[in-house]
Amino acid sequence: MKALMRMFAQRRDRRLLDRFFARYQGRTLIVHQGLTLDWLEELLKLGGGGGHFRIDIRQPPGRHSPVLWLAHRFILPLDLPLPVLCDVGPMTIAIRHLRSAGRLCHPADIAWILEDMRVRARVHATLSRHSHRLTADLGLAVCDNTFEMDLGG
């Protein structure tokens, strides 16, 4: 019976992962546990700032929400300071927290962080075609959240 339950859970997980990547590939997510109104207003003032999907993990994962399922099942167990920024590729997710020196970054820094995290992410998660699971490769230490700005010089 346990093997049968595990098989159903694996199928559900595969479907949710497939749905997640189909929906969010090429997009960015901000996984958070509540953001201040001032911070959100600043984010929305920026060009493209409203294009980041904001996922509040205070909501239960639900059975049919692939993004909440992924946040609760994969991102939260990484135990990173929230909020985190997720850059979703075809079969990858680059993840980096938005805190530095104990403070939340300014929303204007997100563009720089996105550019930098393609090389210097905290976690690079990859979807394995074989096992159909996400595997995490750790990058930056949690305490290192500086980002390099290319000033075009």
Side-chain angles (χ1 to χ4, degrees), residues 1-17 63 69 73 131-133:
M1 186 65 159
K2 285 185 181 181
L4 185 60
M5 294 298 286
R6 191 169 35 251
M7 182 181 73
F8 283 127
Q10 288 172 343
R11 284 185 185 167
R12 180 199 65 226
D13 292 356
R14 285 182 182 160
R15 283 192 308 273
L16 287 167
L17 272 172
R63 294 174 43 135
W69 170 84
R73 182 79 179 255
S131 67
H132 211 78
R133 293 183 180 185

Side-chain angles (χ1 to χ4, degrees), residues 7-48:
M7 182 181 73
F8 283 127
Q10 288 172 343
R11 284 185 185 167
R12 180 199 65 226
D13 292 356
R14 285 182 182 160
R15 283 192 308 273
L16 287 167
L17 272 172
D18 288 343
R19 287 177 52 209
F20 172 81
F21 278 103
R23 172 71 172 100
Y24 294 99
Q25 176 183 331
R27 302 179 189 263
T28 58
L29 313 172
I30 298 173
V31 178
H32 64 91
Q33 195 170 18
L35 296 168
T36 67
L37 188 55
D38 292 342
W39 196 89
L40 285 171
E41 286 175 352
E42 286 297 317
L43 177 69
L44 295 175
K45 286 179 188 175
L46 300 171

